[in-house]
Amino acid sequence: MTYLAKPKFHHPGLPKNTLGYTHRDYEGAVSTLCAGCGHDSITGAIIQACFELSIEPHRVAKISGIGCSSKTPTYFLGNSHGFNSVHGRMPSVLTGANLANRDLIYLGVSGDGDSASIGFGQFAHCLRRGVNMVYIVENNGVYGLTKGQFSATADRGSKSKRGFVNTDNSVDLVAMALQLGASFVARSFSGDKQQLVPIIKAAIAHKGAAFVDVISPCVAFNNHAGSTKSFDFVREHNEAVNRLDFMSPRAPVTVDYAPGTVETVVQHDGSILRLHKLAVDYDPRDRISALTYLQQRHAAGEVVTGLLFVDPESGDMHEFLDTVETPLNTLGEAELCPGPDALARYNAAHR
Ligand SMILES: Cc1ncc(C[n+]2csc(CCOP(=O)(O)OP(=O)(O)O)c2C)c(N)n1
Ligand code: SF4
Ligand SMILES: [Mg+2]
């Protein structure tokens, strides 16, 4: 496997975050993806978000499936935990890890093939269970790694590089996530760092299942006229529902927002989301309206980006299951093995 380590030298004047780390401390190995691949821009946005949030790298677990997108955790947060799993199986691996240790920040990275085709069932169940995570799909409408077959998110009527027309209806993962009960649902574009970085920061701060669909053009197989996942198509048809500005509780609240155009949402951990509302009556706390709006804009040929839905009061799987607060890997033998009497009582309760 190709693995290119980056040189460790960096300019002594590089900006540092509150932990004293530079941007470089959040990078990984040199990317081996095609030059210009949208996935590399998402990697850059994740690095920026973690740097700005001053996250301790050892508190992050990056888990992915298989695909060009699923390779990207190698290219960011080189000092974090990582597990490159099996095609479509990221959600179950992440759910298991999260059940064993709730103290880590879970970043699930997947592709449209990984999540909307082979892993569709896993995608659905981890969202409806409310696993506390940031689930990112790097969505290019194709199976990039296996040479550009249509994925399930490719729009009906879109053309492949070789001229084939997709005759299947498409899956909209954002609509699915809303329907399945995800408590934070957003969509962005790999080429729009201004929008994507605050969305990722807000998703990390959110407690519950946060789903972020990022349209990410594949320059090798899906960036030509006729593709609805190309740079040009998305730039021309992008309709941003809001402009998101994320502030962690430590940062001072800035006031450069025109009155009447700002929507403030306080999240579970006290962090604040400020939304620059472009659509006058768009409310990101209304799941039903979000679904309706999404479908209306889709019918008009537009790609809605921004924070579509957030439930600031959401809980997560551990709350729903009432699990112990201590991570399982730190429990001692006495707690893990309560002895024959407890087992006998438990068995008796089921007779
Ligand atoms: C069980 C299994 N089936 C099929 C494959 C072949 N395969 C590898 S990656 C991939 C699709 C990847 O597409 P996507 O998730 O959209 O990632 P992209 O490369 O586009 O980023 C497929 C079908 C595999 N590795 N494992
Ligand atoms: S094949 Fe497409 S998705 Fe894969 S690295 Fe190249 S541009 Fe990116
Ligand atoms: Mg893909």
Side-chain angles (χ1 to χ4, degrees):
M1 184 177 163
T2 316
Y3 180 86
L4 300 173
K6 276 185 187 163
K8 291 225 167 12
F9 298 112
H10 58 72
H11 193 280
L14 277 185
K16 293 187 171 137
N17 61 19
T18 57
L19 293 175
Y21 291 141
T22 69
H23 198 270
R24 294 293 306 271
D25 295 312
Y26 293 87
E27 293 179 355
V30 173
S31 171
T32 57
L33 301 187
C34 305
C37 175
H39 298 351
D40 278 335
S41 306
I42 303 171
T43 292
I46 294 171
I47 290 170
Q48 186 71 23
C50 293
F51 167 74
E52 288 178 12
L53 286 175
S54 291
I55 286 174
E56 295 165 304
H58 71 272
R59 288 201 51 235
V60 178
K62 319 166 284 181
I63 299 175
S64 60
I66 297 289
C68 298
S69 34
S70 291
K71 284 171 70 178
T72 62
T74 305
Y75 314 136
F76 61 81
L77 297 178
N79 296 311
S80 298
H81 307 280
F83 193 88
N84 189 197
S85 72
V86 180
H87 199 22
R89 272 47 168 197
M90 175 278 282
S92 54
V93 175
L94 189 153
T95 304
N98 189 310
L99 272 168
N101 186 355
R102 58 159 75 185
D103 283 354
L104 298 178
I105 295 166
Y106 289 93
L107 288 185
V109 179
S110 182
D112 42 311
D114 202 56
S115 281
S117 295
I118 193 168
F120 206 24
Q122 299 229 345
F123 158 84
H125 294 298
C126 79
L127 290 182
R128 77 185 184 85
R129 283 183 181 133
V131 180
N132 187 17
M133 63 180 169
V134 181
Y135 189 137
I136 297 177
V137 168
E138 306 192 347
N139 188 351
N140 52 18
V142 291
Y143 297 170
L145 191 71
T146 52
K147 304 275 178 271
Q149 301 87 346
F150 287 123
S151 82
T153 67
D155 289 288
R156 185 173 201 165
S158 65
K159 246 193 214 156
S160 75
K161 188 176 182 179
R162 297 183 64 197
F164 295 115
V165 175
N166 181 29
T167 53
D168 296 340
N169 289 315
S170 69
V171 168
D172 184 342
L173 290 172
V174 167
M176 294 299 307
L178 282 167
Q179 212 269 326
L180 288 160
S183 46
F184 181 109
V185 182
R187 175 152 57 208
S188 191
F189 178 49
S190 60
D192 187 354
K193 231 180 186 173
Q194 264 198 322
Q195 184 190 53
L196 182 55
V197 173
I199 283 179
I200 294 173
K201 286 166 73 177
I204 290 173
H206 179 75
K207 186 179 182 191
F211 177 71
V212 185
D213 181 41
V214 190
I215 296 173
S216 174
C218 166
V219 292
F221 301 108
N222 208 7
N223 194 33
H224 46 277
S227 162
T228 52
K229 302 277 188 292
S230 69
F231 282 107
D232 289 345
F233 183 91
V234 178
R235 285 215 177 96
E236 275 163 33
H237 296 79
N238 184 0
E239 155 140 352
V241 284
N242 44 40
R243 211 154 255 297
L244 184 70
D245 194 6
F246 177 81
M247 282 156 292
S248 54
R250 277 164 298 175
V253 177
T254 56
V255 288
D256 59 343
Y257 305 103
T261 62
V262 177
E263 189 73 14
T264 302
V265 181
V266 181
Q267 294 218 94
H268 208 271
D269 67 346
S271 56
I272 298 164
L273 302 178
R274 301 187 80 197
L275 307 169
H276 290 218
K277 294 193 87 178
L278 297 185
V280 185
D281 51 358
Y282 189 79
D283 180 2
R285 287 161 298 193
D286 185 341
R287 191 184 291 276
I288 295 168
S289 307
L291 259 168
T292 310
Y293 187 70
L294 191 73
Q295 280 165 357
Q296 279 169 349
R297 299 330 305 162
H298 179 74
E302 288 169 2
V303 181
V304 176
T305 64
L307 179 62
L308 273 299
F309 175 73
V310 62
D311 174 3
E313 300 298 326
S314 62
D316 83 317
M317 175 180 63
H318 285 283
E319 234 173 275
F320 306 150
L321 296 179
D322 197 19
T323 58
V324 286
E325 281 193 16
T326 322
L328 300 187
N329 61 352
T330 60
L331 289 178
E333 197 186 334
E335 291 110 331
L336 290 171
C337 181
D341 292 347
L343 182 63
R345 277 199 304 279
Y346 180 79
N347 283 340
H350 290 276
R351 288 207 177 97

